[in-house]
Amino acid sequence: MKREWSRIIFIITFMIMGILIGRVMVSAQIAQLNDPEIIRLFTEKGMEVPEPLSFAPCIC
C-alpha cells in the first residue's frame, strides 16, 4: 500500500512540474512574439512568424 502511494505522489509531482514548465514556456513565447525585433528577424530570414501558444485551462 505504501509503495502505491509513493508512485501516485511521484506521478502527481511530475505532472505539476510539467504544468509549471509549460506555463513558463508559454509566457516566454508570448513575450518574444510581442517583441518587434523578433518578428523582424523571422521575416528577414523568410521564416513564418509562429502563432503564439495560448494558456490552456487547468484541469486541476
Side-chain angles (χ1 to χ4, degrees):
M1 185 72 163
K2 183 178 179 176
R3 185 174 179 156
E4 292 172 1
W5 278 107
S6 67
R7 285 186 180 177
I8 291 171
I9 291 173
F10 182 77
I11 291 169
I12 290 172
T13 301
F14 277 94
M15 285 178 61
I16 292 171
M17 287 173 54
I19 289 169
L20 293 175
I21 290 171
R23 289 191 65 87
V24 168
M25 295 298 290
V26 168
S27 297
Q29 184 189 30
I30 288 172
Q32 280 184 339
L33 293 177
N34 286 334
D35 185 11
E37 287 295 315
I38 299 291
I39 294 172
R40 185 180 58 77
L41 177 69
F42 278 125
T43 55
E44 281 181 354
K45 302 288 183 181
M47 299 167 55
E48 288 184 24
V49 177
E51 291 291 322
L53 297 173
S54 62
F55 287 108
C58 185
I59 60 172
C60 302

